[in-house]
Amino acid sequence: MRPGEEQPMVRSACDGVSELELLKLRAAERIDEAAERLGALSRAIWSEPELAYEEHRAHGVLTRFFQCEPPAASWTVQPHYQLATAFRAEWGPPAVPAAPRPLHLGFLCEYDALPGLGHACGHNLIAEIGAAAALGVKGALEGLPGPPPPVKIIVLGTPAEEDGGGKIDLIEAGAFKNLDVVFMAHPSQENAAYLPDVAEHDVTVKYYGKASHAAAYPWEGVNALDAAVLAYNNLSVLRQQMKPTWRVHGIIKNGGVKPNIIPSYSELIYYFRAPSMRELPVLTKKAEDCFRAAALATGCTVEIKGGAHDYYNVLPNKSLWKAYVENGEKLGIEFISEDAVLNGSSGSTDFGNVSFVVPGIHPYFYIGSDALNHTEQYTEAAGSQEAQFYTLRTAKALAMTALDVIFKPELLERIREDFKLKLQEEEFLNKGK
C-alpha cells in the first residue's frame, strides 16, 4: 500500500474485537498523534550526519525528545548511558505493592551515518521507529481503565553500528542484562520479518619490509607492497574453494609513498563474513594463512590484528516473527515470502550480538524507494517525506507486537523457548556471551 492507503484497524469493541486489539489501535493512534514530532526528530538526525561514536547532535536530539515528551518527566532519561553517545530512557506505570517483577521490553535506536554518504542506511529512521514504537506502547498502557500489568518500556540509544559495534560495548557494560525482549527495525527495499544477517570479522594486516632505491639498488629492498598484492591475489584464488555463503572483501589502504622507493610498509583492511559464528573462524583461518604466505614469499614480516568486536549472526525467533507479521498484515504491510527471506542478500549488524543475549526481532522495511542501501540515492530516500508513512507503519507493527508479548504469556514463553533452541543450535547456550 502507498502513503494514505494504510489499512484501517477496527475501531469498535463490537463484533468480537478483543480488548487487546483495541489497545493496539490506541498504540497506533498514539504514534499518529506524535507523527509531526517524530518526523522532526528523524529529519534533525538525517540533516546532520555523524560517524560512529561521534553522534553528539543526534544523541542530544534524542535525549531532549524524551526529556520533553509530555507529560513532563514521564520518561527517566540517562543521557550518557555507559557510552558518551548512548542513552537510556525508561517508563513504567506506578508500582503496585507485591507485584511480580516487571517485564522489561527494549526498543533500540541507531543514529550513526556513513562517511561521505550521510544516512545512506537510514539510521535516522531506525531512531524514529524505536522512539515511535515505545511511545505507542506507553500510550496504549496509559489508556487502560485499571492498573497496567507490571512492565517497563526501555529505549536504548545504541551508537556506532556502522563501525565499532556500540551494542557490543553496551552488552559488555551490562545494558541488556535485565531485558526480556528487544525490538528494532531496519530500512531496506522490501518488508521482511527477518533476513539472515551474517557473522563478520574484520582485520587490519600490516606488512613491514625494507626501503631501498627502486632504480639504483632494488635488490637491497624488501617490498611490502608486493606482499600486499600477493595477499590480495591469494584471497582471490581462495574464492574458488570458498563456500557460496562466505564473503571476503578488502582494500589496500597503504601501498607506499613514491614510485622510486621500494615500499617498506603496506596495509590492508579486510572483512570476512559467514552465516554463523561456527563457520566464521574456519574462514578467518584460511584468510590469515593467505596473509602469512605473502609475507613468507616476499621476506616481509606481517602483523594481523582483528577488530575490537566480531559481529554475530542474527538469531531468528519464529514466534516473534509470526506475531510481527500478523500485526503488520493488519496494517497492510506486504511481506516477502519465507523462501525469499532465506535466500535473500544480507549484511552484518551488531544486533546479531544482542540476539545471542536476549530474544529480539530485527525486521526490514520498505521506505518507498527501490534504491539500494549505502548509496547516495538511499540517503535521499531516507530523508524523504514518503519514507515517513512506511516508517511509522512499521513502528505501529512493532508496538502491536510488543503488546502481544505483554498480554500473551504463552507467546512470551514460546519466544523464550525459540531463543534457547537457537542458542543450542549455535552451541552458545551457557557460554556467557
Side-chain angles (χ1 to χ4, degrees):
M1 288 188 174
R2 307 299 293 178
E5 298 178 348
E6 182 176 298
Q7 186 168 305
M9 294 181 65
V10 177
R11 294 179 177 269
S12 170
C14 302
D15 303 320
V17 177
S18 70
E19 291 297 322
L20 177 54
E21 292 305 308
L22 293 176
L23 274 180
K24 292 179 181 180
L25 174 61
R26 177 60 187 135
E29 290 174 343
R30 180 68 181 88
I31 290 170
D32 284 334
E33 291 165 7
E36 186 175 342
R37 297 197 306 280
L38 290 162
L41 169 74
S42 176
R43 188 72 184 183
I45 296 170
W46 181 87
S47 63
E48 297 190 75
E50 299 164 295
L51 301 182
Y53 297 111
E54 299 174 4
E55 314 95 328
H56 300 288
R57 289 187 295 272
H59 172 270
V61 167
L62 281 157
T63 53
R64 286 192 298 272
F65 179 88
F66 285 100
Q67 288 166 342
C68 299
E69 184 63 18
S74 57
W75 291 87
T76 301
V77 180
Q78 298 179 59
H80 302 288
Y81 183 65
Q82 308 294 350
L83 298 171
T85 55
F87 71 90
R88 179 185 176 108
E90 184 174 314
W91 174 86
V96 177
R101 172 192 175 274
L103 184 67
H104 289 63
L105 301 184
F107 295 88
L108 309 187
C109 297
E110 294 176 5
Y111 34 92
D112 61 324
L114 288 160
L117 288 173
H119 280 288
C121 215
H123 288 192
N124 58 303
L125 302 178
I126 296 176
E128 181 180 2
I129 280 182
L135 293 188
V137 176
K138 173 179 175 286
L141 296 178
E142 286 177 327
L144 286 170
V151 63
K152 285 190 181 295
I153 306 302
I154 295 152
V155 181
L156 280 180
T158 62
E161 189 277 338
E162 293 290 356
D163 185 19
K167 294 183 191 64
I168 307 170
D169 294 323
L170 290 171
I171 289 170
E172 293 175 349
F176 290 86
K177 187 174 182 181
N178 294 316
L179 297 184
D180 293 293
V181 184
V182 293
F183 303 83
M184 67 169 290
H186 197 293
S188 182
Q189 294 76 45
E190 66 275 309
N191 295 299
Y194 168 80
L195 286 178
D197 288 302
V198 298
E200 185 268 341
H201 174 74
D202 61 85
V203 295
T204 299
V205 182
K206 298 178 180 181
Y207 289 105
Y208 299 93
K210 180 184 175 184
S212 182
H213 196 295
Y217 27 85
W219 54 86
E220 295 292 338
V222 177
N223 197 318
L225 177 58
D226 283 350
V229 171
L230 278 178
Y232 190 96
N233 289 334
N234 288 346
L235 288 166
S236 295
V237 172
L238 176 65
R239 295 180 197 280
Q240 185 178 3
Q241 274 70 48
M242 280 170 42
K243 291 184 178 181
T245 52
W246 290 357
R247 294 290 184 271
V248 170
H249 34 266
I251 60 167
I252 298 176
K253 184 178 179 181
N254 189 315
V257 294
K258 199 175 180 183
N260 64 349
I261 303 173
I262 297 292
S264 61
Y265 174 78
S266 65
E267 182 178 336
L268 304 93
I269 299 175
Y270 263 86
Y271 291 179
F272 311 136
R273 304 183 199 253
S276 73
M277 287 301 295
R278 288 173 296 168
E279 290 186 50
L280 187 60
V282 179
L283 172 59
T284 299
K285 170 65 166 57
K286 291 178 180 291
E288 290 184 351
D289 286 347
C290 290
F291 295 136
R292 292 189 176 93
L296 179 64
T298 58
C300 291
T301 58
V302 62
E303 175 187 313
I304 303 172
K305 184 177 181 180
H309 300 303
D310 288 347
Y311 282 19
Y312 293 6
N313 50 297
V314 174
L315 297 183
N317 192 296
K318 285 199 171 182
S319 295
L320 206 44
W321 280 12
K322 290 178 180 177
Y324 176 75
V325 169
E326 288 173 5
N327 286 305
E329 288 176 342
K330 292 174 186 174
L331 296 167
I333 298 177
E334 297 177 359
F335 293 93
I336 61 174
S337 68
E338 190 164 337
D339 284 345
V341 165
L342 297 177
N343 296 309
S345 59
S346 59
S348 303
T349 169
D350 56 0
F351 184 86
N353 301 63
V354 175
S355 75
F356 275 72
V357 297
V358 58
I361 187 168
H362 182 275
Y364 286 83
F365 66 100
Y366 175 71
I367 67 168
S369 171
D370 294 327
L372 299 177
N373 295 58
H374 292 212
T375 65
E376 293 175 351
Q377 293 76 20
Y378 207 83
T379 301
E380 182 178 353
S384 71
Q385 184 59 37
E386 185 177 9
Q388 287 299 297
F389 167 79
Y390 300 102
T391 300
L392 295 182
R393 185 174 66 169
T394 300
K396 293 171 188 177
L398 281 184
M400 292 160 65
T401 305
L403 289 169
D404 282 330
V405 173
I406 294 169
F407 289 97
K408 294 180 177 179
E410 71 284 359
L411 172 61
L412 179 59
E413 186 59 33
R414 290 198 304 272
I415 289 168
R416 287 169 170 164
E417 287 300 318
D418 287 353
F419 174 64
K420 290 178 183 178
L421 178 62
K422 286 301 174 183
L423 284 181
Q424 288 172 341
E425 290 177 1
E426 292 281 339
E427 300 175 1
F428 261 74
L429 196 62
N430 300 323
K431 284 193 176 183
K433 185 174 181 181

